[in-house]
Amino acid sequence: MLIAAAWRRSLQLRVVTSTLALSSAVVLVLGLVLQSEIAERLLQSKLDAAISQSDANRQVLEGQLASVDPDREGVQEILDTALERLTDTTGPGRAGTAGEFSAALTTGSANGPEVSAGDVGQITARQQDITARGSLDSLNRQYTTVDGVPNLVIGQKIATAGRELQFYLLFPLNGEQLTLGLVQSTLIVGGLVLLVLLAAIASLVTRQVVRPIRHAADVAERFAGGHLDERMAVRGEDEVARLAESYNEMAGSLAAQIAQLEEFGALQRRFTSDVSHELRTPLTTVRMAADVLYASRDELLPALRRSSELLVTELDRFEELLADLLEISRLDAGVAELGAERVDLSAVVRRATDAVRGIAADAGTDLVLDLPAGELIEADPRRVERIVRNLVANAIDHGEGRPVEVTVAGDDAAVAVVVRDHGVGLRPGEADLVFNRFWRAEESRARRSGGTGLGLSISIEDARLHGGWLQAWGEPGNGSAFRLTLPREVGGHISASPLPLGPPAAAAGDRRNGSSVPTPPQGIGRDLREEDLWRLRPEEHAPMQPAERAIIDPGGDR
């Protein structure tokens, strides 16, 4: 694993390793070619010298044995004496020697009794047969091994007064073998030294390229981390210098655009906040006038009575929208405060559900509560109640009159609330948008809660403010589920939720048709990769689906 990780992350390691692999192949092939060529030259040189030596010795023996009949008595002594003179280092046959050699003479056994001198046993029967069938001028050679030492054997015929003699010279090749071994050792050592030098050279050359790239990556990471004044040093006029210049120009342009966007964002937030505040005064006046009309609606004509009722209803929505806009502006500006206190989460959830029971009654929706007492946490009860109220109201709006289940459970580190409905659910791709501002699952659906479209956006920011999670799951026709997970203590770490998200099939991993949106605490999603983020999920959850990857970083403006 460590080697694989180093291979993926280090360009220098890959270049040096690739260079070594290719260089090793080249050195191996070159070494084999050189060894083969040297061995061939050594053997050819030995063969040429051996043939020359054999011709000279044959002439000497022919002069000594021309009048000798191999079949007469006493010929054995004559042959032994001739071989002794031949192998004498001071003899005439040693001129232009090809090195040490031994000799053998034999008549063969084809035309009578065999008469031989010297070590004829080292001559193979095949070579004797080839020599016997050859002419006086022919010469044959063979490589054989004698006592573990390779030998070159030269065979030819010698004319005598009687039967022809077969003359053999045996040239040991141990000197050439030692020379070839020395060449092999030299090639191996030279090849290893060459590979080490190539590795060092490749490392140095690669370092000259990789070091600027690493520096550029470090500068880019610091720039991405918010240090917008980070720039690369420009040295020289080569490609790296051009890269640095291009990067610096890009960074300057991005920094200017980011500063401009931040200024626009600040102006937008200030404008939203100012408008919201400024609208409160005329809204209060309009509210007073509307209340007067509404109080005397029985005295008005039917059309005017209906208008006064619609005016009051829309004013209620207008006031709710202004409150949500003010809250969003505070969250965007980072000035929202968490009024944490020790509370029983079940009691907070119960108050939130009581607030929407009227809506549930109008929709004919039963609220099924599982709220065990004693789930104490440090939290802002107002914000938690607002989250649960939004979730339950959304479940009633999209539950199509079916029961809405609200469940609370906890473990040592966290407490979770799951709001589950059995209505229309979420279509593929809608999980990417569910926490977006002013987004609605179905534009034509009539909402009983009269939401502003900012409820879930505020809820997810409230969850992050607590250091918790807000996650969504849904399947078309099978309803949807929203899970709020909060740490027991403010600033606590959450690695898993006490409650599963979705039905048992989804919790077991069969969520091919569903969608789930992970919402880790603020500061986690930005710094973790996809595989690291899933370590924070409960073990029973399935691998990440395509719809989830779209908003793996929930820290942005939703």
Side-chain angles (χ1 to χ4, degrees):
M1 293 297 292
L2 294 177
I3 296 177
W7 178 265
R8 291 194 307 269
R9 297 175 182 174
S10 177
L11 175 62
Q12 186 174 7
L13 176 62
R14 293 199 299 271
V15 171
V16 172
T17 304
S18 302
T19 302
L20 278 179
L22 295 175
S23 300
S24 300
V26 171
V27 170
L28 178 61
V29 172
L30 182 60
L32 293 176
V33 172
L34 289 177
Q35 177 183 339
S36 176
E37 187 68 21
I38 292 173
E40 185 179 353
R41 294 295 179 86
L42 285 174
L43 291 177
Q44 186 63 42
S45 176
K46 185 71 173 181
L47 178 61
D48 293 342
I51 292 174
S52 176
Q53 185 73 27
S54 180
D55 288 339
N57 290 341
R58 181 176 63 83
Q59 294 175 8
V60 172
L61 285 178
E62 284 181 343
Q64 296 177 359
L65 302 177
S67 59
V68 175
D69 186 358
D71 294 324
R72 73 177 184 179
E73 295 182 0
V75 71
Q76 184 70 49
E77 183 178 355
I78 295 174
L79 294 180
D80 291 339
T81 301
L83 288 183
E84 288 178 1
R85 291 177 180 176
L86 187 66
T87 56
D88 185 5
T89 57
T90 61
R94 302 301 288 179
T97 181
E100 295 182 358
F101 65 88
S102 60
L105 287 171
T106 182
T107 59
S109 58
N111 299 320
E114 182 178 2
V115 178
S116 61
D119 195 1
V120 181
Q122 306 299 334
I123 310 302
T124 64
R126 180 173 179 275
Q127 189 172 14
Q128 292 185 37
D129 182 63
I130 295 174
T131 304
R133 288 187 284 108
S135 62
L136 288 175
D137 297 330
S138 64
L139 179 147
N140 67 82
R141 63 181 182 271
Q142 186 179 24
Y143 294 98
T144 185
T145 301
V146 179
D147 297 331
V149 178
N151 280 256
L152 171 62
V153 182
I154 304 294
Q156 53 190 330
K157 284 183 176 181
I158 295 178
T160 64
R163 286 187 294 167
E164 295 175 343
L165 288 174
Q166 298 177 19
F167 171 51
Y168 298 96
L169 289 182
L170 290 83
F171 296 91
L173 299 177
N174 51 354
E176 285 71 18
Q177 189 177 28
L178 291 175
T179 302
L180 188 58
L182 178 61
V183 169
Q184 290 177 341
S185 302
T186 303
L187 289 176
I188 292 174
V189 174
L192 293 177
V193 173
L194 179 61
L195 289 178
V196 172
L197 293 177
L198 286 175
I201 294 172
S203 179
L204 292 175
V205 173
T206 308
R207 183 180 176 83
Q208 294 179 357
V209 178
V210 171
R211 184 162 47 183
I213 296 177
R214 288 176 178 170
H215 176 65
D218 293 339
V219 172
E221 288 178 359
R222 291 194 295 270
F223 185 87
H227 302 279
L228 302 182
D229 57 342
E230 287 290 338
R231 298 293 185 273
M232 290 182 61
V234 180
R235 298 184 180 91
E237 299 178 358
D238 55 9
E239 289 80 359
V240 176
R242 291 173 56 194
L243 172 64
E245 292 176 353
S246 300
Y247 174 82
N248 291 341
E249 292 177 0
M250 179 193 68
S253 177
L254 287 177
Q257 294 182 27
I258 290 173
Q260 186 178 13
L261 288 175
E262 288 179 347
E263 183 180 356
F264 287 163
L267 290 174
Q268 183 181 13
R269 289 192 297 270
R270 187 179 304 113
F271 174 78
T272 303
S273 178
D274 293 344
V275 168
S276 301
H277 279 288
E278 292 299 327
L279 285 177
R280 283 191 173 275
T281 299
L283 180 61
T284 302
T285 304
V286 175
R287 164 62 72 179
M288 293 174 60
D291 288 341
V292 171
L293 292 175
Y294 188 76
S296 58
R297 65 184 181 280
D298 294 335
E299 303 174 2
L300 300 176
L301 297 174
L304 296 178
R305 185 185 309 121
R306 178 56 180 165
S307 298
S308 65
E309 293 173 353
L310 291 176
L311 178 61
V312 171
T313 300
E314 294 304 317
L315 282 175
D316 291 338
R317 291 190 59 191
F318 194 16
E319 287 181 340
E320 185 179 352
L321 177 59
L322 283 178
D324 288 346
L325 287 174
L326 286 173
E327 186 66 22
I328 284 289
S329 64
R330 283 193 292 268
L331 291 170
D332 289 343
V335 297
E337 296 182 357
L338 187 67
E341 59 184 70
R342 197 74 174 173
V343 295
D344 185 349
L345 182 61
S346 296
V348 175
V349 173
R350 190 176 299 278
R351 289 198 302 269
T353 55
D354 290 342
V356 295
R357 282 193 181 277
I359 302 174
D362 293 340
T365 301
D366 294 332
L367 298 180
V368 181
L369 306 182
D370 182 8
L371 309 178
E375 298 295 350
L376 300 178
I377 62 170
E378 284 187 2
D380 187 334
R382 179 181 65 86
R383 295 183 184 276
V384 175
E385 183 177 345
R386 179 168 60 191
I387 295 173
V388 177
R389 187 169 60 248
N390 283 331
L391 297 181
V392 176
N394 282 336
I396 294 171
D397 285 334
H398 299 88
E400 297 186 333
R402 299 186 180 95
V404 173
E405 302 163 4
V406 182
T407 307
V408 174
D411 57 20
D412 294 338
V415 181
V417 181
V418 172
V419 178
R420 173 82 162 92
D421 67 74
H422 301 273
V424 295
L426 294 174
R427 293 191 296 264
E430 290 185 346
D432 304 347
L433 309 171
V434 68
F435 294 108
N436 285 1
R437 298 175 183 180
F438 300 109
W439 181 84
R440 295 180 186 273
E442 295 184 34
E443 295 296 337
S444 60
R445 177 175 295 273
R447 295 179 57 92
R448 296 178 177 84
S449 60
T452 63
L454 295 173
L456 289 180
S457 300
I458 295 175
S459 297
I460 197 172
E461 296 298 339
D462 284 339
R464 290 197 188 102
L465 197 60
H466 284 84
W469 301 348
L470 182 57
Q471 297 166 286
W473 170 90
E475 285 182 350
N478 290 330
S480 59
F482 287 79
R483 180 177 63 187
L484 171 66
T485 307
L486 300 176
R488 290 277 187 181
E489 308 291 336
V490 174
H493 174 70
I494 301 176
S495 59
S497 180
L499 288 174
L501 180 61
D510 184 13
R511 301 189 302 174
R512 290 183 297 271
N513 297 323
S515 302
S516 176
V517 180
T519 308
Q522 191 171 9
I524 291 181
R526 294 179 182 272
D527 301 327
L528 294 183
R529 297 171 300 180
E530 176 179 315
E531 58 268 23
D532 298 327
L533 183 59
W534 272 97
R535 296 194 185 103
L536 302 177
R537 291 182 162 214
E539 295 181 356
E540 68 271 12
H541 289 170
M544 185 174 295
Q545 302 299 319
E548 300 175 274
R549 296 191 183 96
I551 49 175
I552 187 64
D553 177 11
D557 188 9
R558 293 283 185 259

